[in-house]
Amino acid sequence: MCQCENSEAVSGPCCPSSLTDEMWEIIQLLLPVRDLRRGGGVRKYGDRLVLDSLFYVLRSGCQWRMLPRDLMPWDAAHRWFTKWRRDGTWDRVHDGLRRQVRVGAGRDPEPSAAVIDAQSIKTSEGGEARGFDAGKRTTGRKRHVIVDTMGLLLVVAVTSASVQDRAKGRIVLARLAKGFRTVSLVWVDGGYANSVDSTLLSWARDTLDIVVEIVKRTDDVKGFKVLSRRWVVERSFGWLVRNRRLARDYERLTATSEAMIKVAMIRLMLVRLAGQPSRWSHESHRKTARTKTIEDLIAA
């Protein structure tokens, strides 16, 4: 059994991916409150154990059916994940945490500029919306994301890898304009507008009142180069794939893939707000245990 300070708060041993007390205090205020007047039986599993189970799947990349028995049954965990996806709980929690992170960093709660990009990633066999990206030579899906200047997620859409950036760019920009009326400037790469089709820029300006600015790579530079503004969204992709569940797209539904990306960003923002170390280990607890052992030997 786990003997760390978090183990007493859940019904079983905690894992490196489990919520700390500080993180739980932040997120429990954003979770839905059950109305007992509407009836229903007593819940067997609390919200904290549900989140610990979901974060375990996210971080470890295991199958739902391989959840450890000291967390909660896999079917119950999957049921709560799906329920919160359908009723909008993940969206509300994610948006609330993003505002807190921005305010804590001295920014306005709502962004005024954003960055858009797409990431092609392999999928497992089966599932909907699976295609071939001829440019990246990848069979799978494509993650279209828009982030603010801090790299925090604003809009996400998962499609087949065969969908062109310019075609889906209109859809995600329309979602951005609908959900974030304060955004007036968006940076993109050259894949969203070129000499063949550059209508995205004029369409966004005339229809959405958003200025789309292309950040191009100079032709005389060879090898890797950090591009202004575009590195922000690339870093966000790096944050996502640190979670093994997102290293590939294992979900059968694109809606599930989008929800899992939001869960990953929720976990990341909780770590920031709680001031927790970003590494996934219990090194601090091991050091404390070693110190106590030495003190016990000296006392003896």
Side-chain angles (χ1 to χ4, degrees), residues 29-296:
L29 300 176
L30 301 174
L31 295 174
V33 179
R34 183 182 180 188
D35 188 359
L36 298 179
R37 294 173 299 179
R38 301 180 63 180
V42 179
R43 283 185 55 180
K44 186 176 182 180
Y45 307 106
D47 288 339
R48 181 164 183 172
L49 187 58
V50 173
L51 291 171
D52 284 344
S53 302
L54 299 181
F55 288 154
Y56 184 90
V57 172
L58 170 72
R59 182 58 187 172
S60 68
C62 73
Q63 299 176 10
W64 287 100
R65 287 175 172 82
M66 297 182 68
L67 262 177
R69 294 184 178 180
D70 49 15
L71 287 174
M72 65 185 299
W74 73 268
D75 55 340
H78 187 272
R79 183 168 61 251
W80 277 104
F81 170 79
T82 304
K83 178 182 184 300
W84 285 350
R85 171 178 66 82
R86 291 175 176 173
D87 65 14
T89 297
W90 293 127
D91 293 330
R92 291 190 294 272
V93 173
H94 177 271
D95 294 345
L97 292 176
R98 186 188 61 245
R99 296 187 186 97
Q100 293 185 39
V101 173
R102 289 185 58 85
V103 171
R107 307 289 188 91
D108 292 331
E110 301 298 334
S112 59
V115 191
I116 182 174
D117 202 357
Q119 177 192 50
S120 295
I121 196 161
K122 295 181 179 180
T123 61
S124 57
E125 296 181 0
E128 65 177 8
R130 188 168 180 263
F132 180 70
D133 184 350
K136 301 294 180 61
R137 311 291 295 178
T138 300
T139 300
R141 291 180 180 150
K142 186 176 288 187
R143 297 167 178 166
H144 306 263
V145 302
I146 302 180
V147 301
D148 63 8
T149 53
M150 295 180 62
L152 304 179
L153 185 68
L154 300 178
V155 179
V156 59
V158 178
T159 66
S160 168
S162 60
V163 175
Q164 295 293 323
D165 293 351
R166 291 187 297 275
K168 195 62 179 180
R170 293 177 180 251
I171 298 177
V172 293
L173 282 174
R175 291 185 187 177
L176 177 71
K178 181 179 180 180
F180 302 90
R181 300 184 181 277
T182 56
V183 175
S184 59
L185 175 61
V186 176
W187 290 284
V188 302
D189 62 21
Y192 289 88
N194 52 27
S195 57
V196 178
D197 183 8
S198 60
T199 58
L200 178 65
L201 279 66
S202 58
W203 174 82
R205 182 183 63 251
D206 299 336
T207 306
L208 306 178
D209 197 22
I210 294 178
V211 176
V212 176
E213 181 178 323
I214 300 177
V215 181
K216 292 185 177 181
R217 174 188 174 92
T218 56
D219 297 334
D220 57 344
V221 176
K222 296 183 179 180
F224 174 78
K225 177 179 174 56
V226 177
L227 299 179
S228 175
R229 302 299 179 181
R230 279 176 54 185
W231 67 270
V232 175
V233 66
E234 297 295 344
R235 182 184 59 179
S236 300
F237 284 134
W239 290 340
L240 293 178
V241 297
R242 286 179 182 177
N243 303 280
R244 291 189 178 182
R245 186 76 182 189
L246 299 178
R248 294 179 63 144
D249 195 329
Y250 294 100
E251 317 303 334
R252 297 189 64 85
L253 304 178
T254 56
T256 306
S257 299
E258 295 170 1
M260 194 63 73
I261 291 173
K262 294 173 184 176
V263 173
M265 294 301 297
I266 288 173
R267 182 65 170 76
L268 183 145
M269 290 186 291
L270 280 176
V271 169
R272 290 190 181 183
L273 290 171
Q276 302 294 321
S278 58
R279 61 179 182 270
W280 295 80
S281 69
H282 283 317
E283 181 62 26
S284 60
H285 300 306
R286 289 196 293 268
K287 288 182 179 179
T288 302
R290 288 196 296 267
T291 303
K292 290 182 179 179
T293 301
I294 295 173
E295 293 175 352
D296 293 340

